[in-house]
Amino acid sequence: MEAITASGIDYAIYFYNPNIHPDREYEIRKNENIRFAEKHNIAFIDADYDRDNWFERVKGLENEPERGERCTVCFDMRFERTALYAHENGFDTISSSLGISRWKDMNQINGCGERAAARYPGLIYWTYNWRKGGGSARMIEISKREAFYQQEYCGCVYSLRDTNRYRRSQGRERIKIGVKYYGQEDSGEA
């Protein structure tokens, strides 16, 4: 948000994440966005959860790896909805902070965003490198300051499954939903 503000872009947070599983994780992530938006007086648009449509789109891709075809389909779906909303509501630019994560492929994300924006005349996708200039470290600093929820997997049921499989193979505990915040921790399992 700081990078977008510094660039002089008037923006809103558009929350459309039908991939997030389970419901509790979805609500936590959405409420964190709402809390931040309200604190900083940023418009927040709560889009439809649309989980059934997401499952239909990724059907057959359940065993794709992180950064694979399932992720492309997921990003395409979310960017298509974002671009449509932007077009219908007078926004000329869309972007995403998905690229801040080292677990994501920025080229994959940017390609999906550019394809979605190209559907509408005058709409562009802002391909900002969120990682440059210490962006990831800054994200952690802000997350600690804001005491944000610390997400431990991408969000989808398959990412949760695969991350938990990996953690178990390493002798680690399963992901605990809703308990880990930057700077504080509790207990509970997914």
Side-chain angles (χ1 to χ4, degrees), residues 13-49:
I13 297 171
Y14 184 75
F15 193 82
Y16 178 64
N17 293 285
N19 58 307
I20 298 176
H21 174 87
D23 291 349
R24 182 166 184 234
E25 181 78 8
Y26 175 83
E27 290 298 327
I28 291 168
R29 293 187 189 195
K30 181 172 84 171
N31 288 330
E32 287 290 83
N33 276 269
I34 292 169
R35 179 171 64 91
F36 185 83
E38 288 175 351
K39 179 177 179 180
H40 297 282
N41 201 30
I42 302 165
F44 180 84
I45 297 111
D46 186 1
D48 183 18
Y49 191 15

Side-chain angles (χ1 to χ4, degrees), residues 52-107:
D52 293 339
N53 188 10
W54 184 83
F55 275 109
E56 185 59 36
R57 289 236 191 158
V58 300
K59 189 174 184 176
L61 302 172
E62 297 87 352
N63 293 308
E64 282 286 308
E66 191 77 21
R67 298 183 178 186
E69 182 62 24
R70 182 182 66 240
C71 293
T72 299
V73 169
C74 179
F75 297 153
D76 279 342
M77 177 184 182
R78 292 156 63 198
F79 278 125
E80 287 164 10
R81 181 70 64 91
T82 302
L84 175 62
Y85 183 90
H87 172 73
E88 290 177 342
N89 290 277
F91 290 90
D92 61 4
T93 305
I94 62 171
S95 192
S96 174
S97 60
L98 282 167
I100 195 78
S101 171
R102 67 180 191 264
W103 304 109
K104 297 295 177 204
D105 178 342
M106 284 183 48
N107 291 325

Side-chain angles (χ1 to χ4, degrees), residues 156-171:
C156 82
V157 64
Y158 309 116
S159 174
L160 177 61
R161 174 200 65 200
D162 294 346
T163 302
N164 278 330
R165 281 180 184 164
Y166 175 77
R167 289 171 75 133
R168 282 192 307 270
S169 78
Q170 301 299 305

